[in-house]
Amino acid sequence: MRARAAFLLACAAVLAATAAHAQGWPIARYSVEGRNSGYFYLGQQTRLLQDDDFQNPGMFAVDAGAAAWRRVDGTQGRSCASCHQNAAETMKGVATRYPAYDAKSGGILNLELVINRERVEKMGAAPLVYESPELLAMTSYISHQSRGLPKAVDITGPAAPFFEQGKDFWSTRRGQIDISCAMCHDDRPGMLLRGDTISQGQTNGHPMYRLIWHTISSTHRMFEWCNTSMRAEPYPLGSPVYLALELYVAWRGRGLPVETPSVRK
Amino acid sequence: MRFSFVSLVVLLAAGAAWAQAVAPAAPPVPERTPLQAHLTGPIPPLVKVEIVGNTIPQPLTQQPGDPARGRRVIADASNSTCLICHEVPALAELPDQGKIAPPLEGLGSRYTAAELRLRLVNAKLITPDTMMPAYYRTEGLTRVQPQFAGRTIYSAQDIEDAIAFLLTIK
């Protein structure tokens, strides 16, 4: 009896795993006109980890975000849901458009900054610290509502100068090592940098669960890591310079599906 | 217009003070190995180099290059070494060698010490748009992290020792 139950359990587990795996998209979806998601360069094991919602460690952040969505905070007695109701409907597609130019502030805002502005202005709540688990949970939850939809940021009109600024950043050599983002991510994707396969440096999967950091991580944290690996002084997370860079990099990956939460090495 | 953007950043900073418990730590500064003494403490004076054609004929130090130490310098994966980008078959025992630049093979048969010296000191004087870092240069760089400002990736002696090792790769 014992053995039989164990066998059935094992069968169920295998079936569940296959079913979850089958949710993964065909690899062609991760590539649009030569623009490849980081998924494209992952090993099989990491891909499977991302594909299976029950194993994907980034799903904890999404779940935490779902709970926070309905949690009342601040002096106004409101939660996100008080105004935006069901995120599956109201937030669908939102992450595809960010970062974006914001006329009110005259600068670029990404999801992190928009969330904090909502908290301060609409909820009377304190802004969340960049890269705090709370802010990562909310960006992950909101981005997750766009899973599968193509990235499509607007770089026209007032966004154009910021786009140009980000583009310049991308191709400028910096740091003691004196290399640019483009030298790795435009010129050498697929090649080995020490033990790591270089990808195109796309952001469509973000926030991502980065295995070497054991945590869900934002685009700006990745920028900081790449900057310090060139021995260049990074900019603060959430700074205008990184926002402009984020806009450029998001445009580079136009058409790639939102994958949040992605899993990366 | 700008002002309200700045105020948003200030608000973010205020948030940082409010939730210090979860404030992210700055990226860690890796520990320096004994081979990297020139990357900590007082900044060593920069040796002047004289470029002649595609070479630097004069060694950077009095002490002749030591191939055994040069091997350790290049194998030291915690500094920004050749292995990040190049495969070095002579160091086949070391894992995770890069493959974004040509493998370093037969250097001793193809190059003189004077040629390798320029290549290591500043490869951009040979191929201006190369990705290869200049291992003995402090000027003309952008936004170097303060802990590396004014310092070269390799010390003058590292350059000489590395050359001595590379010349043994026939």
Side-chain angles (χ1 to χ4, degrees):
Chain A
M1 280 297 272
R2 265 261 166 94
R4 198 179 145 158
F7 175 69
L8 283 178
L9 260 179
C11 285
V14 168
L15 273 177
T18 343
H21 176 206
Q23 287 167 7
W25 308 323
I27 189 68
R29 284 205 62 187
Y30 297 90
S31 190
V32 176
E33 296 164 353
R35 300 187 288 277
N36 301 331
S37 154
Y39 185 94
F40 193 89
Y41 301 93
L42 295 178
Q44 189 62 16
Q45 287 209 316
T46 317
R47 285 184 181 174
L48 288 175
L49 202 56
Q50 172 170 326
D51 290 346
D52 183 349
D53 279 353
F54 294 102
Q55 287 192 52
N56 182 332
M59 286 305 290
F60 286 107
V62 172
D63 292 344
W69 182 258
R70 291 182 302 271
R71 197 177 303 132
V72 172
D73 198 359
T75 56
Q76 305 299 310
R78 293 187 189 135
S79 69
C80 311
S82 317
C83 294
H84 299 287
Q85 288 87 30
N86 180 7
E89 288 159 21
T90 60
M91 293 295 124
K92 190 173 178 179
V94 168
T96 65
R97 300 193 291 271
Y98 278 91
Y101 177 77
D102 169 63
K104 202 166 138 203
S105 60
I108 299 293
L109 296 187
N110 61 3
L111 271 186
E112 284 85 347
L113 296 198
V114 170
I115 290 165
N116 271 339
R117 191 168 69 179
E118 293 287 288
R119 286 180 59 84
V120 172
E121 293 181 1
K122 311 272 179 57
M123 296 166 70
L128 300 171
V129 178
Y130 216 101
E131 220 57 19
S132 64
E134 291 79 5
L135 188 52
L136 283 162
M138 195 52 77
T139 50
S140 299
Y141 179 62
I142 292 175
S143 301
H144 186 65
Q145 309 309 318
S146 299
R147 189 147 77 162
L149 300 176
K151 273 299 253 188
V153 292
D154 183 4
I155 58 161
T156 61
F162 298 97
F163 172 80
E164 291 301 328
Q165 186 193 344
K167 190 177 174 185
D168 277 357
F169 188 105
W170 180 262
S171 56
T172 303
R173 291 172 178 269
R174 51 189 82 234
Q176 189 197 34
I177 310 301
D178 199 29
I179 53 181
S180 68
C181 316
M183 286 181 176
C184 280
H185 294 298
D186 284 344
D187 303 343
R188 295 174 174 85
M191 295 189 190
L192 278 180
L193 177 83
R194 194 168 279 154
D196 287 330
T197 304
I198 298 174
S199 73
Q200 289 183 356
Q202 303 290 7
T203 50
N204 56 303
H206 295 183
M208 61 173 156
Y209 188 92
R210 196 158 191 229
L211 295 169
I212 63 165
W213 290 336
H214 308 286
T215 176
I216 193 96
S217 322
S218 73
T219 300
H220 289 201
R221 181 168 177 190
M222 198 65 222
F223 289 169
E224 179 188 55
W225 184 85
C226 284
N227 261 188
T228 52
S229 69
M230 329 163 155
R231 298 187 176 172
E233 180 66 358
Y235 288 84
L237 309 191
S239 60
V241 171
Y242 276 178
L243 290 166
L245 179 61
E246 185 181 352
L247 179 66
Y248 172 69
V249 180
W251 174 84
R252 263 183 94 248
R254 61 201 177 283
L256 289 175
V258 173
E259 281 168 37
T260 317
S262 65
V263 179
R264 297 289 183 263
K265 197 178 153 203
Chain B
M1 292 266 270
R2 276 249 164 245
F3 179 77
S4 54
F5 188 72
V6 167
S7 60
L8 189 61
V9 172
V10 171
L11 276 173
L12 275 171
W18 164 73
Q20 260 170 2
V22 289
V29 178
E31 261 183 50
R32 295 289 154 216
T33 68
L35 284 173
Q36 297 168 15
H38 63 288
L39 292 178
T40 55
I43 298 180
L46 198 69
V47 176
K48 256 196 128 46
V49 298
E50 198 196 332
I51 295 153
V52 182
N54 257 356
T55 70
I56 298 177
Q58 286 303 314
L60 304 187
T61 60
Q62 302 292 318
Q63 197 178 320
D66 169 1
R69 186 175 177 281
R71 173 184 251 271
R72 292 206 309 278
V73 166
I74 288 181
D76 181 8
S78 65
N79 199 356
S80 188
T81 81
C82 328
L83 289 173
I84 293 179
C85 299
H86 294 275
E87 232 179 323
V88 185
L91 298 172
E93 73 280 7
L94 298 177
D96 295 339
Q97 305 199 1
K99 289 197 179 72
I100 69 181
L104 297 182
E105 288 173 318
L107 298 182
S109 328
R110 292 192 285 128
Y111 292 100
T112 63
E115 287 168 339
L116 283 178
R117 195 171 289 116
L118 179 58
R119 164 67 67 178
L120 265 67
V121 164
N122 187 357
K124 279 141 211 168
L125 297 173
I126 305 168
T127 19
D129 57 356
T130 188
M131 185 188 186
M132 181 161 156
Y135 280 83
Y136 201 78
R137 174 196 188 186
T138 56
E139 294 299 312
L141 304 170
T142 305
R143 222 177 145 82
V144 174
Q145 272 183 298
Q147 69 261 41
F148 295 110
R151 296 177 192 275
T152 54
I153 304 174
Y154 278 0
S155 70
Q157 193 61 49
D158 289 349
I159 300 276
E160 292 308 319
D161 294 347
I163 293 169
F165 168 67
L166 295 171
L167 286 173
T168 67
I169 307 178
K170 297 286 181 192

